Amino acid sequence: MQGSSLLPGLCFLLSLSGVVAQKTKGTCRVCPRNASCVNGTHCTCNHGYISESRQKYFTFPLEICEGKGIIFKSPRGTTPSETTSSMKEVVENIESLLTKKTVWGTEKMKNITATFTSILQEMESVVLETALKAPDQKLQKVQSHTVAVETRVVTDNCSTGVTFNLNAQMNSMDINCGDVIQGNIQGPSAVAFISYSCLGNIINASFFEKVNEKDQVYLNSQIVSAAIGPKRNTSLSQAVTLRFQHVKIKPGIKKLFCVYWKGTKEGGHWSTEGCFLIQANKTHSICNCTHLSSFAVLMAFDTQEKDPTLTVITYVGLSLSLLCLLLAALTFLLCKAIQNTSTSLHLQLSLCLFLAHLLFLTAFDRTEIKVLCAIIAGALHYLYLASFTWMLLEGLHLFLTARNLTVVNHSSVNRFMKKLMFPVGYGVPAVIVAISAASRPQLYGTRDHCWLSLNQKFIWAFLGPVCAIICVNFVLFILVLWILKRKLSSLNSEVSTIQNLKMLTLKATAQLFILGCTWCLGVLQMGSAARVMAYLFTIINSLQGFFIFLVYCLLSQQVRKWFGEIIKSKSEPETHTLSSRFGPDSKPSEDK
């Protein structure tokens, strides 16, 4: 994967590989501007120029060959015009390296990344050194086609809360003044911000440490570097804020990574350590980083093909469920004929499922902001757990009702459920989510969805309680059927009781199927039957609200009677008006 991505875009490191590697290989492939190669091993400035380091022979590719009229005796003795010219020399030299294409197809990956690390560090050092030579010129800006540099020099103590903003090309950085001076009161301090528009062709997303085979990850920003001097300290008291403009605007972004270039013995790679995404949209990303280095933004796409049919089924089914759950909740609230403990349980279940489905539809894939995505995942975790908990209470109440069906006084069951249902229905899920969030908060929200991560088997914080509830409800269902069978055989003459028992049996079967067994289909999505199970799971689960409204409202004789009275009451005024106007005693008006 990495090797194939090196051939295109040989704008920088395929030439620089030879430049830095010359120290060990003994060859010079590229020399800076106004210099030439000597004996294939070193560079020397041409006639009329002198190296900034005052060395006749050198190997550093970013060395500057100055006209002999420009002499830097000391940082204090340099004029602004001379420093500006020197900064331009630095940019021009690095640009000449960026635009020089040298075929280097045999270069190893380790050498390329090591060269990249070395070049970035040396570029930062040269820019800072050049800026510090002219402390009176506090702000310098130089830009070419491929490189942009902005430096700021601080010669006095910083005021409290002062923040510097530096811009290079279409990127910017905010850094605290105190981190720039680092307690240095003996001389000037400087901060440099450099943006490269060509490096991403070589050091691309294939060097990302978290790259996954199922994801398509690519670099979608320019590479920028940030450094402070004269002390090259990379740790900060306050995080820097980096703003990147995206190179390409591409829809369907699933995840963004704020990364920095981490040099290692193996060469180097992109890492997210100490860098966090703060905000992102289609055109820009904002990152906070707790250290200085070279930075970029990577974007990930899931290459797994999505089934558009499943997507349509999900949205249509959940939209229908939301409507049915809303109607069911209104029915449970307004229909006084059915208001009891059982109805209260139905109402809470409907509310939890309504909120869970609504949040799922609107925010399940809002992964742009990590903190917000974690909150959404936690809310979904709680609402779906609460739905299952109320389902468990439904099963328990059904069992107690069946067991006490022949008892005239049901008050003991009702009192027990009223005391138990709210602390259990909303308290138990809250405890589970609180423990999960306290132990592993970073596992709320994934790269693709605002849900629980599969890492460290964290998904079992949801699946564990759900499986336990389904098992308990299944046992209660078997007990209910056994109890009802016994009572049906002993109550042959009581027609109303038999009808109630049959309705209880129907509700018990429907409830276990709707809110229990359907979730098992989600676990069975594997192997050759995965596609079929996915369709069954999506269809049945997205219609839960419709089934609840059907079983608990439309199949209820009392609710149907209530609906009929509402329709009748709306039609009566119109009928009354017509009968009063055209009744048998009414006479047509006569013209006089």
Side-chain angles (χ1 to χ4, degrees):
M1 177 180 178
Q2 293 177 342
S4 61
S5 63
L6 294 177
L7 295 179
L10 298 174
C11 68
F12 178 42
L13 286 179
L14 296 187
S15 59
L16 291 187
S17 302
V19 175
V20 176
Q22 65 185 339
K23 299 178 182 179
T24 56
K25 293 185 177 182
T27 59
C28 59
R29 298 181 181 272
V30 178
C31 289
R33 186 180 180 184
N34 301 320
S36 55
C37 184
V38 178
N39 297 328
T41 58
H42 289 76
C43 297
T44 186
C45 292
N46 296 333
H47 180 71
Y49 294 87
I50 186 171
S51 68
E52 185 181 16
S53 63
R54 300 299 179 266
Q55 296 179 354
K56 185 175 182 180
Y57 302 104
F58 53 87
T59 58
F60 179 37
L62 300 183
E63 181 67 84
I64 296 175
C65 289
E66 307 163 329
K68 290 186 177 180
I70 302 177
I71 301 176
F72 296 96
K73 297 182 178 179
S74 66
R76 296 289 181 182
T78 308
T79 66
S81 60
E82 290 171 340
T83 304
T84 302
S85 175
S86 182
M87 187 69 73
K88 287 181 179 179
E89 288 277 348
V90 172
V91 173
E92 288 172 357
N93 281 342
I94 189 64
E95 184 176 28
S96 68
L97 296 176
L98 289 171
T99 56
K100 186 177 181 63
K101 298 182 179 181
T102 304
V103 179
W104 195 264
T106 59
E107 187 68 12
K108 294 182 179 179
M109 187 78 61
K110 179 178 178 180
N111 292 340
I112 291 178
T113 54
T115 300
F116 179 78
T117 304
S118 176
I119 290 297
L120 288 176
Q121 293 174 349
E122 292 170 342
M123 178 65 178
E124 293 168 6
S125 298
V126 171
V127 169
L128 285 172
E129 182 181 351
T130 305
L132 288 170
K133 289 179 178 178
D136 295 333
Q137 191 175 2
K138 294 187 176 181
L139 183 65
Q140 297 186 58
K141 292 185 177 182
V142 179
Q143 181 168 347
S144 65
H145 293 292
T146 58
V147 183
V149 176
E150 181 170 335
T151 61
R152 183 180 289 269
V153 178
V154 184
T155 57
D156 53 7
N157 292 332
C158 297
S159 301
T160 305
V162 173
T163 300
F164 294 141
N165 175 260
L166 291 87
N167 296 270
Q169 292 174 331
M170 303 304 293
N171 311 299
S172 66
M173 176 184 70
D174 293 338
I175 185 171
N176 182 265
C177 180
D179 285 322
V180 177
I181 64 173
Q182 305 177 71
N184 178 26
I185 58 175
Q186 302 299 324
S189 300
V191 55
F193 186 58
I194 311 168
S195 179
Y196 307 90
S197 61
C198 192
L199 300 190
N201 293 332
I202 299 297
I203 305 301
N204 50 35
S206 62
F207 295 92
F208 185 36
E209 61 177 354
K210 293 184 179 180
V211 68
N212 193 317
E213 290 183 358
K214 74 171 186 176
D215 294 329
Q216 179 185 354
V217 183
Y218 74 99
L219 190 147
N220 198 28
S221 74
Q222 296 170 340
I223 296 175
V224 301
S225 295
I228 51 179
K231 297 180 180 178
R232 296 300 303 277
N233 187 11
T234 59
S235 60
L236 304 170
S237 62
Q238 296 183 22
V240 295
T241 300
L242 300 165
R243 296 175 182 85
F244 296 90
Q245 181 176 6
H246 298 165
V247 175
K248 295 181 180 180
I249 300 175
K250 207 169 182 181
I253 295 172
K254 294 301 178 184
K255 188 67 177 179
L256 290 91
F257 301 93
C258 297
V259 296
Y260 81 100
W261 184 256
K262 183 177 182 179
T264 62
K265 293 181 179 180
E266 291 74 25
H269 59 262
W270 292 115
S271 172
T272 60
E273 183 181 353
C275 291
F276 309 94
L277 179 67
I278 302 301
Q279 187 177 351
N281 55 35
K282 292 182 179 180
T283 59
H284 292 81
S285 294
I286 301 177
C287 306
N288 272 5
C289 292
T290 59
H291 53 79
L292 296 182
S293 180
S294 295
F295 308 96
V297 171
L298 303 180
M299 294 185 178
F301 293 85
D302 193 347
T303 57
Q304 292 181 338
E305 294 185 2
K306 292 185 177 181
D307 192 335
T309 306
L310 283 178
T311 303
V312 172
I313 292 173
T314 299
Y315 278 89
V316 173
L318 286 183
S319 299
L320 178 62
S321 278
L322 287 174
L323 176 61
C324 292
L325 287 170
L326 180 60
L327 293 174
L330 291 175
T331 302
F332 299 143
L333 280 172
L334 301 177
C335 184
K336 295 182 179 180
I338 63 170
Q339 288 181 351
N340 50 36
T341 303
S342 180
T343 306
S344 298
L345 293 170
H346 301 337
L347 175 61
Q348 302 306 320
L349 174 61
S350 300
L351 290 176
C352 289
L353 273 179
F354 179 85
L355 294 174
H357 288 343
L358 182 63
L359 187 61
F360 179 90
L361 275 180
T362 57
F364 184 62
D365 56 353
R366 300 301 299 269
T367 58
E368 297 89 355
I369 304 176
K370 185 175 181 180
V371 175
L372 178 60
C373 184
I375 294 173
I376 294 170
L380 285 173
H381 187 197
Y382 175 78
L383 289 172
Y384 278 119
L385 278 182
S387 301
F388 275 96
T389 307
W390 284 107
M391 184 189 80
L392 174 63
L393 292 172
E394 291 256 18
L396 178 60
H397 182 259
L398 191 62
F399 167 73
L400 294 176
T401 302
R403 193 188 66 173
N404 297 281
L405 193 61
T406 57
V407 179
V408 177
N409 186 8
H410 298 281
S411 58
S412 60
V413 174
N414 293 332
R415 284 198 303 268
F416 174 74
M417 291 303 300
K418 286 180 180 179
K419 291 181 180 179
L420 181 70
M421 61 182 187
F422 283 101
V424 173
Y426 290 113
V428 171
V431 171
I432 296 174
V433 173
I435 295 174
S436 303
S439 60
R440 296 184 180 93
Q442 72 279 7
L443 297 181
Y444 275 101
T446 67
R447 287 186 294 177
D448 301 324
H449 304 298
C450 297
W451 184 234
L452 279 65
S453 174
L454 297 177
N455 296 336
Q456 304 178 30
K457 299 181 180 179
F458 188 63
I459 189 65
W460 283 99
F462 173 74
L463 290 181
V466 166
C467 291
I469 289 173
I470 292 175
C471 292
V472 172
N473 260 17
F474 182 76
V475 173
L476 292 176
F477 171 71
I478 299 298
L479 292 175
V480 167
L481 292 181
W482 179 70
I483 292 172
L484 293 180
K485 181 180 179 182
R486 289 181 56 194
K487 293 188 181 297
L488 282 173
S489 61
S490 62
L491 297 172
N492 296 326
S493 59
E494 299 183 23
V495 178
S496 61
T497 306
I498 293 175
Q499 290 178 345
N500 290 335
L501 290 174
K502 289 181 177 179
M503 182 57 66
L504 282 174
T505 305
L506 173 63
K507 289 183 177 180
T509 306
Q511 182 168 277
L512 183 68
F513 175 73
I514 295 169
L515 299 176
C517 295
T518 55
W519 287 88
C520 296
L521 297 174
V523 182
L524 296 176
Q525 293 183 33
M526 57 184 69
S528 58
R531 189 175 183 83
V532 177
M533 291 299 176
Y535 271 89
L536 289 175
F537 174 78
T538 304
I539 294 172
I540 298 174
N541 254 35
S542 61
L543 293 175
Q544 285 178 344
F546 170 74
F547 290 144
I548 289 175
F549 183 64
L550 175 66
V551 172
Y552 294 122
C553 295
L554 297 183
L555 295 182
S556 171
Q557 185 177 359
Q558 293 171 307
V559 174
R560 291 200 305 269
K561 182 180 178 181
W562 179 65
F563 284 156
E565 291 175 352
I566 293 176
I567 296 173
K568 185 178 179 181
S569 64
K570 288 185 176 182
S571 60
E572 278 182 353
E574 183 179 355
T575 304
H576 177 72
T577 302
L578 292 174
S579 62
S580 62
R581 184 176 300 176
F582 302 107
D585 297 331
S586 62
K587 294 182 180 180
S589 59
E590 296 180 359
D591 295 334
K592 292 184 180 179

